[in-house]
């Protein structure tokens, strides 16, 4: 078993950080890709993590979502980014 990660000692003599235990000999290697991903509206987003060990959590960002009232007494919903098109 191998421990990877980072620990720091604070002024108050408290250890802070993250450690992960990796079983040696499982054939994996460190993950070197992105640790932050944003959901795509039209495409899948693949993080190549198979047979890799991670040094921290992966964060998947939410798709922006907005609601506004409209002139028909209803709601207009924007999913994704609001883009103004000048014609």
């Amino acid at each position: 078993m191998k421990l990877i990660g980072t620990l720091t000692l604070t002024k108050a003599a408290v250890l802070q950080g993250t450690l992960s235990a990796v079983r040696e000999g499982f054939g994996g290697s460190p993950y070197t890709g992105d640790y932050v991903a944003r959901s795509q509206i039209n495409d899948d987003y693949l993080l190549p993590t198979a047979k890799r060990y991670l040094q921290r959590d992966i964060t998947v960002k939410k798709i922006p979502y907005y609601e506004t009232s409209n002139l028909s007494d209803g709601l207009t919903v924007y999913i994704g980014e609001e883009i103004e098109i000048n014609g």
Side-chain angles (χ1 to χ4, degrees):
M1 184 82 50
K2 178 180 179 181
L3 293 176
I4 58 170
T6 305
L7 289 176
T8 56
L9 184 62
T10 68
K11 290 181 181 180
V14 175
L15 283 175
Q16 291 181 334
T18 59
L19 284 178
S20 298
V22 177
R23 184 177 53 170
E24 292 182 356
F26 84 104
S29 58
Y31 173 69
T32 58
D34 293 330
Y35 279 84
V36 177
R38 180 171 292 281
S39 297
Q40 303 292 316
I41 293 174
N42 296 320
D43 294 317
D44 292 338
Y45 189 84
L46 176 69
L47 297 171
T49 58
K51 297 185 181 176
R52 308 274 181 179
Y53 57 86
L54 304 172
Q55 299 204 14
R56 59 185 185 273
D57 292 337
I58 291 177
T59 301
V60 178
K61 298 283 190 173
K62 67 181 180 179
I63 296 174
Y65 176 91
Y66 307 96
E67 290 182 357
T68 60
S69 58
N70 59 37
L71 298 175
S72 299
D73 291 328
L75 288 176
T76 299
V77 174
Y78 299 93
I79 301 174
E81 295 184 39
E82 183 178 354
I83 300 173
E84 185 174 327
I85 300 174
N86 295 321

